[in-house]
Amino acid sequence: GEDVEQSLFLSVREGDSSVINCTYTDSSSTYLYWYKQEPGAGLQLLTYIFSNMDMKQDQRLTVLLNKKDKHLSLRIADTQTGDSAIYFCAETPYNQGGKLIFGQGTELSVKP
Amino acid sequence: DAGVIQSPRHEVTEMGQEVTLRCKPISGHNSLFWYRQTMMRGLELLIYFNNNVPIDDSGMPEDRFSAKMPNASFSTLKIQPSEPRDSAVYFCASSLAPRVFEAFFGQGTRLTVV
């Protein structure tokens, strides 16, 4: 079946790097995503990676994909207080259109 | 574009009442999704439409829930009768197939059933 797991909390100091981890079970997933949710707001797509890629970098964000271990990570360099939010990992199973399977979300707390 | 617009932002209703949530997708998008977010179950896909046609409604909890998309610019999610366990934040999202991975979410409707 489809399942996405994340740790629930992460606390870092401003300026440090944050690494948020995610594991998934569906090896047929075509795309994997990271969404950000700020308090009282909807989800914002941060970045995504296609399943045939190992890494994707976008400014302060680096996504690493280990298909063998079905492990996805999001690294935020030089973490700022404005990065405090809940980060969701999600996957799109193969041949299921736009259906997104979300993890539980990781609450990132950035301390000054 | 104003993004995905949901209304109302907050809804408080009594158990047994009918509740209708509304969504206006981004103009030109042809896929629309309804999600529910709760502390216990996280984010769950309820139903999604492609070109106004329901494609997958396997996430709809039970017959009390129904969703319609009468045209490309409007969708509703109705709960009748509502129950306290329906209390959640309901999100609508839209995207443009085949780039369905770029789903844009609305601000959500926080529903409280008392």
Side-chain angles (χ1 to χ4, degrees):
Chain A
E2 306 143 352
D3 198 16
V4 180
E5 298 280 340
Q6 299 177 240
S7 53
L8 295 182
F9 301 100
L10 177 65
S11 180
V12 300
R13 290 225 172 265
E14 191 173 21
D16 288 350
S17 291
S18 307
V19 179
I20 303 171
N21 294 301
C22 168
T23 57
Y24 59 98
T25 56
D26 191 338
S27 57
S28 74
S29 292
T30 51
Y31 288 96
L32 296 133
Y33 317 84
W34 285 103
Y35 278 85
K36 177 183 180 182
Q37 185 180 31
E38 296 181 351
L43 279 77
Q44 173 195 357
L45 177 64
L46 278 181
T47 187
Y48 63 90
I49 188 167
F50 190 51
S51 58
N52 68 354
M53 297 169 64
D54 297 325
M55 186 184 89
K56 181 178 180 181
Q57 186 150 5
D58 184 0
Q59 299 182 347
R60 292 191 298 122
L61 305 179
T62 303
V63 179
L64 295 177
L65 175 60
N66 181 328
K67 284 181 62 179
K68 175 175 168 289
D69 295 336
K70 299 193 187 75
H71 182 266
L72 183 74
S73 68
L74 174 69
R75 178 177 180 270
I76 306 173
D78 187 24
T79 313
Q80 303 297 307
T81 53
D83 295 324
S84 293
I86 301 177
Y87 291 80
F88 290 91
C89 170
E91 63 171 350
T92 297
Y94 175 73
N95 215 24
Q96 291 204 34
K99 182 176 180 177
L100 286 166
I101 309 295
F102 285 92
Q104 312 94 303
T106 299
E107 183 174 347
L108 174 64
S109 174
V110 183
K111 301 190 186 311
Chain B
D1 199 315
V4 176
I5 299 173
Q6 292 186 245
S7 63
R9 288 295 310 277
H10 302 274
E11 176 81 36
V12 180
T13 191
E14 290 186 345
M15 184 173 65
Q17 296 297 305
E18 177 181 294
V19 175
T20 300
L21 312 181
R22 297 173 177 79
C23 175
K24 180 177 173 7
I26 291 174
S27 177
H29 281 189
N30 56 5
S31 294
L32 183 138
F33 311 85
W34 282 101
Y35 286 88
R36 178 172 67 175
Q37 185 178 35
T38 62
M39 289 293 292
M40 291 297 295
R41 300 175 65 92
L43 272 158
E44 305 172 277
L45 177 67
L46 300 177
I47 185 170
Y48 81 89
F49 296 84
N50 194 38
N51 292 322
N52 311 339
V53 176
I55 302 300
D56 183 352
D57 65 354
S58 59
M60 294 286 264
E62 47 200 270
D63 293 345
R64 296 184 299 107
F65 285 69
S66 63
K68 293 182 180 178
M69 192 162 185
N71 57 61
S73 58
F74 184 65
S75 177
T76 59
L77 178 67
K78 186 177 292 187
I79 309 172
Q80 164 64 14
S82 57
E83 296 182 4
R85 61 191 167 123
D86 302 330
S87 297
V89 181
Y90 291 81
F91 287 104
C92 176
S94 72
S95 65
L96 178 61
R99 297 178 69 84
V100 290
F101 50 86
E102 289 182 313
F104 293 84
F105 280 71
Q107 298 280 70
T109 295
R110 181 174 294 277
L111 173 65
T112 304
V113 183
V114 297

